[in-house]
Amino acid sequence: MKNKEKTCLALGAIENENISDVAITNLSEDYVDVSVKLALLTVLAGYLEKDKIKVNSGKFINKYFLNSFLSFILNDKRAAPRKFRIDVSFDRREKYKPLKSSEKYDLLLAFSGGADSTAGLLCALDKKFKVKPVYVGFGQKNEKEEIVYVKKILKKLNIKPLIIKIDINKYIDQDWKRWKLGIIPARNYLFAAIAGSILSRSNRKKLKIWICAHKEEINPIHTDKSLRFFKSASKILSALYNKEISVSTPFMNITKPEILAYWHKKWEKKYDLTVNETVSCYFGNNCGVCKACINRAVVFICAGIKIENFKINPFLDKKNLILTSYINSFKSLHTERKLDFVYALNEQRNILPIKLKRFLDINYKKYQKKINKRIKFIRSINNI
């Protein structure tokens, strides 16, 4: 599977511009099949803001289904710079040929060293799956830091990581001026495609790919964590490889505070691994000022975990993200997220800026009974 030398492949074309300068490390050319090529070209089409994709491989599934699905993924309402209308074609130079089964994994896990993916790994170990955690780096801002955490966590669990690097630096929106929040377009679809290619060599009949979204994320706004994404990706990979491949999450019906509360209660001692040993930061250093750090701090507090290792306490709101993002969208949040947010603010009342204290004074009294019930439920969670 591994190939420590970089491989540059002719993937196809985007709007008649040939794409042959994408270098891939630790994934041999045999694994870069039609599905992986299409997924890579979709990522690049997102960055280039183009719609026409031509894949240097044979067709493998209904074109109209693919066009609709890939357009849906790229049209992330939070981050996409424009509306995409993807049009896929194949040059039919080759047909997909099943390769000899040799792997023994029944589950590949998208692993970043973050709280969600690490919880997914611990859940897989609990369920006795033959699991392989896979990290895919794109040269994003936090890649180096993420890899450090990936290696530390997996070393502690005595698991060898598969770290795949894809060099698309020349395409990435490094300043996040077009694709907002540091979101990599179609990232989860690319992971699913790579995982599917690896799992296609497994001698198991029923195979799983986990992308560890939690209940609050599984909606059409998060296009590559939505129900449509999971169902369609499963259909695509199963059809291509003629195997039963399920793309899913183990946390479909459970919120992040509930996951981490369970971890704090059950997995900390069992695996000698705390939630604070993970990283969830757009810059990879627990900066305390990005939205990922704010989300992490809210969840930790609700789960009864001390917020540690932040360079700056997120509730100081140094960049006014809580004020401009959370407060402005508060009414549209699901009830659970509203309650979690207000509870966390109240727990950090002493350091809040004045405007956040005013917001808290109004809303804590309004939701206090529901908040108490919600926190009691989170802390009592005993099953995942």
Side-chain angles (χ1 to χ4, degrees):
M1 183 194 307
K2 291 185 179 181
N3 176 17
K4 292 183 179 180
E5 298 298 323
K6 288 186 178 180
T7 303
C8 286
L9 301 170
L11 301 176
I14 297 174
E15 299 283 2
N16 297 319
E17 178 184 344
N18 288 328
I19 306 295
S20 58
D21 58 353
V22 175
I24 303 175
T25 306
N26 284 343
L27 189 71
S28 71
E29 185 174 348
D30 287 343
Y31 285 86
V32 186
D33 57 20
V34 56
S35 177
V36 175
K37 288 179 181 179
L38 175 59
L40 273 166
L41 289 168
T42 303
V43 172
L44 300 186
Y47 278 126
L48 293 171
E49 298 183 42
K50 305 292 185 182
D51 293 305
K52 289 188 177 180
I53 296 173
K54 186 175 183 180
V55 188
N56 182 16
S57 287
K59 183 178 179 180
F60 71 98
I61 199 168
N62 183 280
K63 170 182 175 178
Y64 301 102
F65 176 84
L66 282 178
N67 288 345
S68 175
F69 173 59
L70 298 179
S71 298
F72 168 74
I73 292 173
L74 288 179
N75 289 327
D76 187 301
K77 294 178 182 179
R78 303 162 299 153
R82 70 166 177 86
K83 188 169 184 179
F84 290 86
R85 294 180 176 85
I86 296 299
D87 182 11
V88 178
S89 63
F90 300 85
D91 67 13
R92 297 180 180 273
R93 288 185 208 162
E94 61 185 48
K95 293 182 179 180
Y96 172 72
K97 296 178 181 179
L99 295 170
K100 186 178 179 181
S101 297
S102 58
E103 304 290 356
K104 296 181 179 179
Y105 308 117
D106 50 22
L107 168 63
L108 256 71
L109 171 79
F111 191 71
S112 67
D116 295 339
S117 62
T118 306
L121 177 57
L122 300 181
C123 182
L125 294 175
D126 263 9
K127 295 179 184 296
K128 309 298 183 184
F129 286 124
K130 181 71 175 176
V131 58
K132 185 68 173 179
V134 181
Y135 177 85
V136 181
F138 303 87
Q140 62 269 37
K141 286 185 179 182
N142 58 354
E143 180 182 299
K144 289 181 180 179
E145 292 81 2
E146 280 187 337
I147 290 174
V148 169
Y149 280 87
V150 165
K151 289 181 176 179
K152 280 184 179 179
I153 292 166
L154 295 183
K155 183 178 180 180
K156 202 166 188 179
L157 295 171
N158 197 28
I159 296 172
K160 287 186 178 181
L162 173 56
I163 298 175
I164 297 168
K165 292 189 178 183
I166 301 174
D167 186 359
I168 54 172
N169 278 342
K170 66 175 283 186
Y171 299 99
I172 284 181
D173 176 16
Q174 295 287 353
D175 296 324
W176 302 346
K177 290 180 179 177
R178 290 177 290 121
W179 280 82
K180 299 175 183 177
L181 302 174
I183 287 174
I184 295 168
R187 178 179 186 174
N188 284 341
Y189 177 54
L190 177 56
F191 174 81
I194 291 171
S197 179
I198 295 170
L199 281 179
S200 71
R201 321 297 172 91
S202 176
N203 53 22
R204 310 291 177 95
K205 291 184 178 180
K206 292 186 177 182
L207 304 163
K208 295 181 183 293
I209 297 168
W210 278 2
I211 294 167
C212 296
H214 41 82
K215 181 180 176 181
E216 307 100 300
E217 297 176 307
I218 301 169
N219 56 61
I221 293 175
H222 298 83
T223 54
D224 65 352
K225 295 178 182 177
S226 63
L227 286 175
R228 179 178 177 181
F229 167 77
F230 288 122
K231 289 179 180 179
S232 296
S234 300
K235 178 179 179 180
I236 289 170
L237 297 177
S238 296
L240 174 61
Y241 299 116
N242 196 27
K243 290 177 177 282
E244 187 178 330
I245 300 177
S246 168
V247 183
S248 62
T249 171
F251 307 130
M252 191 73 71
N253 298 307
I254 187 168
T255 67
K256 190 165 182 173
E258 293 160 21
I259 297 165
L260 299 196
Y262 181 86
W263 179 344
H264 188 50
K265 185 187 298 184
K266 301 286 187 178
W267 288 334
E268 240 176 57
K269 285 186 177 180
K270 183 174 182 179
Y271 295 104
D272 187 29
L273 189 68
T274 69
V275 183
N276 274 302
E277 292 176 77
T278 66
V279 64
S280 302
C281 174
Y282 291 144
F283 300 97
N285 59 6
N286 289 326
C287 66
V289 297
C290 72
K291 196 166 184 178
C293 282
I294 295 169
N295 288 339
R296 179 180 172 95
V298 168
V299 169
F300 274 35
I301 288 172
C302 293
I305 301 167
K306 290 182 180 179
I307 54 172
E308 299 175 351
N309 301 328
F310 289 108
K311 289 187 174 181
I312 297 172
N313 189 312
F315 293 96
L316 291 171
D317 201 23
K318 290 294 185 179
K319 290 194 174 182
N320 292 323
L321 277 178
I322 297 178
L323 189 63
T324 57
S325 180
Y326 287 81
I327 303 302
N328 287 345
S329 62
F330 182 74
K331 290 182 179 179
S332 65
L333 295 177
H334 291 297
T335 300
E336 290 166 334
R337 292 199 70 188
K338 281 182 180 178
L339 302 179
D340 295 346
F341 175 58
V342 175
Y343 174 78
L345 284 184
N346 191 60
E347 290 295 294
Q348 296 287 306
R349 171 184 287 274
N350 292 338
I351 68 165
L352 294 180
I354 293 174
K355 289 183 179 180
L356 290 183
K357 283 183 179 178
R358 289 174 183 164
F359 170 86
L360 179 61
D361 288 339
I362 295 170
N363 287 280
Y364 188 76
K365 291 180 181 178
K366 181 178 178 181
Y367 292 103
Q368 187 169 3
K369 288 184 179 180
K370 290 183 178 180
I371 288 171
N372 292 339
K373 186 176 180 180
R374 166 73 176 151
I375 298 303
K376 184 177 180 181
F377 176 78
I378 291 172
R379 306 288 176 83
S380 65
I381 194 83
N382 282 311
N383 292 296
I384 284 187

